[in-house]
Amino acid sequence: MKRWLCTWILLWWVCLPAWAYEVIDDTGKAVQFDRAPLRIVSLLPSLTETVCELGGCERLVGVDRYSNWPAQVKRLPQVGGGLDPNVEAVVALKPDLVLASVSSRAADRLRGLGLRVLQMEPRTAAQVHEVTQRLATALQLPTAERVLQAIES
């Protein structure tokens, strides 16, 4: 009996799904995650820079035509403008997550094609803090406080 119970507990633990979490974007949409995204397309330069500052630059697989910092993002495929990206080019990169501005006209179409889209657009200092924290949560990176302290100093 004891052996059976131990086997059952072990199987349950191994088969346990990853802990799901969600992030609310600036449009009020809840975006569900079952794991940290590893392939990200960023359609807003400020979000591209925030991803890199948080330590997730290696996860970027594509950016908008205006993202140019840090220098390593210049080597990534460009998928058009943030408001009017080339949807086919975004889809071809097979992203786990697309970061877009609130005013992006392509966000609903990308969602309709099955992509996970977070729309965020920090415009004030307070929003920069909120977006940095939510983005760190979405990417499962524990570096938001360090980045926010650097911003403050």
Side-chain angles (χ1 to χ4, degrees):
M1 177 71 169
K2 187 176 181 181
R3 176 172 273 185
W4 178 84
L5 182 60
C6 289
T7 302
W8 185 84
I9 290 171
L10 180 63
L11 282 173
W12 176 78
W13 183 257
V14 169
C15 297
L16 186 68
W19 295 103
Y21 59 100
E22 74 177 20
V23 175
I24 308 295
D25 73 8
D26 286 348
T27 67
K29 290 182 177 72
V31 180
Q32 304 290 322
F33 295 89
D34 56 0
R35 61 181 170 81
L38 299 176
R39 298 182 57 81
I40 301 167
V41 171
S42 176
L43 302 176
L44 188 63
S46 61
L47 297 177
T48 301
E49 292 175 16
T50 304
V51 167
C52 289
E53 282 298 313
L54 289 168
C57 216
E58 74 284 347
R59 298 185 195 184
L60 290 168
V61 295
V63 295
D64 65 288
R65 73 171 65 96
Y66 304 107
S67 289
N68 60 11
W69 189 91
Q72 68 195 70
V73 303
K74 291 179 185 179
R75 294 187 296 263
L76 295 172
Q78 293 184 350
V79 294
L83 296 177
D84 58 346
N86 180 329
V87 171
E88 291 79 15
V90 173
V91 171
L93 293 172
K94 297 181 172 116
D96 300 316
L97 177 64
V98 177
L99 302 174
S101 72
V102 171
S103 52
S104 175
R105 295 185 290 261
D108 287 336
R109 185 162 178 221
L110 292 167
R111 280 188 197 95
L113 292 169
L115 297 179
R116 184 179 292 120
V117 179
L118 260 180
Q119 289 180 267
M120 298 188 284
E121 194 166 349
R123 295 181 179 166
T124 67
Q127 289 173 339
V128 167
H129 283 258
E130 293 170 18
V131 165
T132 300
Q133 290 172 332
R134 284 185 282 150
L135 199 47
T137 299
L139 302 181
Q140 295 290 282
L141 294 170
T143 52
E145 289 307 314
R146 176 191 54 80
V147 170
L148 292 172
Q149 287 174 357
I151 290 171
E152 290 299 318
S153 62

